Amino acid sequence: MPIDPPPPGDRASLAQEKARLRGEALARRAGMGDAARAAASAAAAQRVPAILGPVSGAAVALFAPFRDEIDTAPLAALLWEAGATVALPVIVGRDTPLLFRRWRPGDLLEPVGAYRIPTPSPEAPECRPDTLIVPLAAFDRRGHRIGYGAGHYDRTLAHLRARGPVRAFGYAFACQEVSSVPAEPHDEPVDGMVTEADHLLFGG
């Protein structure tokens, strides 16, 4: 069901609430410590096959972890072993959907942009993913997520979903869960969520 646009005065309140929830969830994530994050990343990867099902021949987009995000390297290893094509996102422009390029075992990733996010080489082939593993700052159990404020994944999911079936699953630590994310019309929900503690499907 479409979400009605909030009145202009409410938009500022929603932005403030999202900023508060984002800050609190990221503080909890930072407080985990390196050893706990590594263990949780490995545990979360083991939960993904149950929610994805068979992936042989499918294209799955991951993300290269930034700062203290959940590490996707253990998941990439599982996907390659299962016969999936793995891709990583490339930021094309501020208001442009993400592009995805194939990432093969052994491929070197190049730090790109102001945040030096590891990115496939421009020579890596482009790839349209069947499934996206989506980063986030905070999430709830209705399928809503809070990103980092740039809107890259909302634009990307809207673009891909307008052109055919695609699945999207949030991927984060359990400590990033919040009771309720305030949703706006432009927010694209995820179809499921995977953490080290649980895996959830939304929307039936």
Side-chain angles (χ1 to χ4, degrees):
M1 178 180 296
I3 300 172
D4 292 332
D10 288 347
R11 293 194 189 108
S13 297
L14 287 175
Q16 290 174 353
E17 178 64 4
K18 284 185 174 181
R20 182 185 70 81
L21 292 170
R22 180 189 295 117
E24 291 176 355
L26 293 182
R28 291 193 296 271
R29 188 176 79 183
M32 290 176 66
D34 291 343
R37 279 193 293 272
S41 297
Q46 296 297 323
R47 290 187 173 275
V48 173
I51 203 169
L52 290 192
V55 295
S56 180
V60 181
L62 301 184
F63 57 90
F66 171 62
R67 291 180 178 164
D68 50 18
E69 278 184 326
I70 189 168
D71 187 4
T72 55
L75 177 53
L78 288 177
L79 292 172
W80 283 323
E81 185 177 0
T85 295
V86 176
L88 289 176
V90 177
I91 297 175
V92 179
R94 181 177 177 86
D95 298 316
T96 305
L98 295 166
L99 173 73
F100 295 90
R101 293 191 182 278
R102 187 166 182 178
W103 179 34
R104 296 180 176 92
D107 283 355
L108 293 179
L109 301 178
E110 303 172 2
V112 172
Y115 297 109
R116 314 301 289 164
I117 296 174
T119 302
S121 162
E123 283 73 44
E126 293 184 22
C127 176
R128 184 194 186 280
D130 305 299
T131 300
L132 285 81
I133 303 298
V134 180
L136 53 89
F139 70 94
D140 67 19
R141 292 189 172 232
R142 300 178 300 154
H144 299 305
R145 59 180 282 278
I146 299 174
Y148 298 101
H152 289 304
Y153 275 92
D154 288 321
R155 281 189 292 274
T156 301
L157 289 174
H159 174 78
L160 291 173
R161 285 167 170 166
R163 285 158 178 76
V166 64
R167 300 184 300 169
F169 299 98
Y171 196 56
F173 297 118
C175 67
Q176 294 171 249
E177 181 178 348
V178 299
S179 59
S180 180
V181 169
E184 299 179 78
H186 66 270
D187 292 335
E188 289 285 331
V190 292
D191 301 299
M193 188 70 214
V194 180
T195 72
E196 77 277 17
D198 206 355
H199 55 272
L200 309 165
L201 283 172
F202 309 122

